[in-house]
Amino acid sequence: MTEVPVTTTTTKGLHPGLTRRQISMMGLGGAIGAGLFVGSGQAIGIAGPAVLISYLVAGGIVVLVMAMLAEMVAARPSSGAFSSYAQKAMGRSAGSAVGWLYWIQLVVVIAAEATGAGGIVAAWIPAVPAWVWVLVFVAALTAVNLFGVRNYGRFEFWFAAIKVAAIIAFLVVGACAIIGLIPGVPATGVTNVVAHGGFAPNGMTGIAAALLIVVFAFGGTEVVAIAAAESDDPSRNIRRIVREVLVRILIFYVGSIFVIVSVLPWNDPSVKAGPFSAVLDTLRVPGVGLVMDLIVVVALLSAMNANIYGASRMAYSLAERGFAPLAATRTSAKGVPYVAVLASVAFGFVTVVLNWAFPDTVLPALLNVVGSTLLVIWTATAVSQIILRRRADRDGAPMPMRMWGFPWLSWLCLVLLAGVVALTMIDPAARTQLLLTLGLTAVLLVVARVTRGASRPGVVKE
């Protein structure tokens, strides 16, 4: 990307308080969650060692999406991020639908993460029901998000740092196991990568099926586009943040998976149950079960914390643009949109009741509805970037950052996303998720179209 100087502005009402380092860790914290520590085992079980290709393809999509987002954020920082850019590129209805879709996804995921963390801790302390822990986690992280963006940034930094440290330690231990530096454990080498049916035991079908699982593991990186608006120099920061986050995530994801398929046979039942635990058990690391449970809880709470932040800022932006009640724009003396924060966690508190009354039915149904939201948001981001970049080039508008390979890489991203959608339509369960998400998107577009005439005075209609 080429860069030129630019004068930046910050989002009205919100106080710049996040550092570049904190935002980078937020991006890592959002993407490195239970999907990597636990869910990666399922993808390995489907594709074998060739799941590395699935991760590289999914990582490539994320690189392109984030590069497009970075270009737009550098030109126009906004707490509404991709929703704001969809509005500018495709009109108010698109901006409203994308924003609400993202917000709905996050409030449901917040509830799911609180539920997951509560279930694990309840297993440690059976005397305390899981719903009590859900209540504790939701209340505690609500308080963190109300204390001010600086305190939130510090809290999320250390949350993410624990996960990053755990992965680095895993990579070091794994590398030592591969080359034979662990006492009493024979060197594993990399023969497992090509043994047991070969590198791709299930062929392209397995790689494609695993891609369907893997691509959603990278969700959460987009929070850096929202957070950049609350840094002291959004346009300059976003360039380095995106580069740092993408490189680290690819190293952590691909490196971790390579260690797993090298140390253990891909078809070992323990890999599917918990790949990180399986590797550490094989290497005779003591207390593996408790350590991994602790890391997963931290991963869930970290992602939950980032999602409360992302949801509240999106709600604030929607209200600012006339798509949500004006009350959501109210900020505290520290610049925290407290009404938006409380609105975003309200469903989390409702989940406390749902966990008590319907522990096995309500939340899975809600997650099914928003399961494919990421595909819609990434597609909207790619389309918005193509439109806005062409418009800027036509008008000769200066841009602080230009995505390399435009328009070919932007179109490549759309082609890859279309491929993922095609794979989704082949799988029955994934197809149901996608159709429900598309149905929700259609409803949000209709509502936005119907209510556009009722916008508040002073709100610009694009």
Side-chain angles (χ1 to χ4, degrees):
M1 299 186 187
T2 55
E3 303 174 0
V4 296
V6 66
T7 302
T8 63
T9 57
T10 56
T11 307
K12 180 181 177 182
L14 303 178
H15 295 182
L18 294 173
T19 66
R20 179 178 58 80
R21 188 175 65 163
Q22 288 171 340
I23 298 175
S24 293
M25 293 300 278
M26 285 173 62
L28 290 172
I32 300 173
L36 172 62
F37 291 115
V38 180
S40 56
Q42 185 180 358
I44 294 171
I46 292 173
V51 74
L52 289 166
I53 296 176
S54 303
Y55 273 97
L56 288 171
V57 172
I61 295 174
V62 175
V63 167
L64 295 175
V65 170
M66 292 302 294
M68 288 187 280
L69 260 178
E71 179 183 274
M72 294 185 288
V73 170
R76 189 179 184 182
S78 167
S79 63
F82 31 85
S83 170
S84 299
Y85 308 137
Q87 177 181 347
K88 188 172 177 62
M90 297 178 280
R92 287 178 56 80
S93 296
S96 175
V98 170
W100 278 111
L101 187 66
Y102 184 70
W103 186 84
I104 292 170
Q105 173 207 353
L106 290 192
V107 298
V108 172
V109 171
I110 287 166
E113 288 159 345
T115 301
I120 293 173
V121 178
W124 300 340
I125 312 173
V128 181
W131 68 265
V132 173
W133 291 110
V134 174
L135 177 61
V136 169
F137 293 147
V138 174
L141 293 183
T142 298
V144 168
N145 277 268
L146 290 173
F147 284 155
V149 71
R150 288 183 186 276
N151 290 322
Y152 159 78
R154 294 190 189 104
F155 200 89
E156 184 59 23
F157 175 87
W158 290 111
F159 251 159
I162 293 172
K163 293 190 289 186
V164 169
I167 292 179
I168 291 174
F170 179 79
L171 292 175
V172 171
V173 170
C176 290
I178 291 171
I179 62 179
L181 295 182
I182 297 182
V185 178
T188 63
V190 294
T191 55
N192 281 323
V193 175
V194 293
H196 313 288
F199 177 70
N202 296 318
M204 287 302 299
T205 302
I207 294 172
L211 176 62
L212 201 55
I213 298 171
V214 168
V215 72
F216 295 102
F218 288 94
T221 51
E222 66 279 348
V223 74
V224 301
I226 296 173
E230 286 185 84
S231 65
D232 56 352
D233 189 351
S235 294
R236 185 179 301 277
N237 286 337
I238 195 66
R239 305 165 195 164
R240 295 185 62 183
I241 289 167
V242 167
R243 190 181 308 122
E244 291 170 358
V245 169
L246 292 177
V247 169
R248 290 171 185 173
I249 284 178
L250 287 175
I251 291 173
F252 291 158
Y253 267 86
V254 176
S256 296
I257 300 304
F258 180 76
V259 166
I260 292 167
V261 297
S262 296
V263 173
L264 290 173
W266 68 271
N267 52 1
D268 188 315
S270 64
V271 172
K272 189 172 183 179
F276 284 73
S277 297
V279 168
L280 296 176
D281 267 331
T282 298
L283 302 181
R284 304 171 190 172
V285 177
V288 170
L290 178 59
V291 170
M292 287 309 304
D293 277 351
L294 284 170
I295 291 173
V296 170
V297 168
V298 169
L300 287 168
L301 296 181
S302 171
M304 179 182 167
N305 197 36
N307 287 335
I308 292 174
Y309 172 86
S312 64
R313 269 45 178 189
M314 184 59 72
Y316 174 89
S317 175
L318 287 168
E320 241 191 351
R321 290 177 283 143
F323 301 136
L326 183 61
T329 61
R330 294 176 184 166
T331 56
S332 67
K334 294 183 177 180
V336 176
Y338 61 93
V339 174
V341 170
L342 294 174
S344 298
V345 298
F347 187 78
F349 285 106
V350 172
T351 308
V352 175
V353 179
L354 296 180
N355 272 282
W356 173 72
F358 312 102
D360 301 318
T361 55
V362 176
L363 201 54
L366 291 172
L367 286 169
N368 206 34
V369 174
V370 299
S372 298
T373 301
L374 199 62
L375 291 177
V376 177
I377 292 170
W378 283 0
T379 301
T381 297
V383 172
S384 299
Q385 188 265 344
I386 291 172
I387 294 173
L388 295 178
R389 173 66 178 272
R390 287 192 182 280
R391 192 179 295 170
D393 288 346
R394 181 195 65 203
D395 298 339
M399 298 184 68
M401 191 178 209
R402 290 179 176 271
M403 179 183 171
W404 18 258
F406 180 83
W408 309 113
L409 289 182
S410 297
W411 283 108
L412 174 62
C413 183
L414 280 176
V415 169
L416 291 173
L417 286 169
V420 175
V421 170
L423 291 174
T424 302
M425 294 302 291
I426 295 172
D427 182 271
R431 180 171 62 244
T432 300
Q433 278 193 355
L434 179 61
L435 292 176
L436 287 171
T437 300
L438 292 177
L440 176 60
T441 305
V443 169
L444 292 172
L445 282 168
V446 170
V447 171
R449 178 69 64 175
V450 169
T451 59
R452 66 181 300 173
S455 298
R456 296 193 300 271
V459 176
V460 179
K461 296 182 181 181
E462 297 190 35

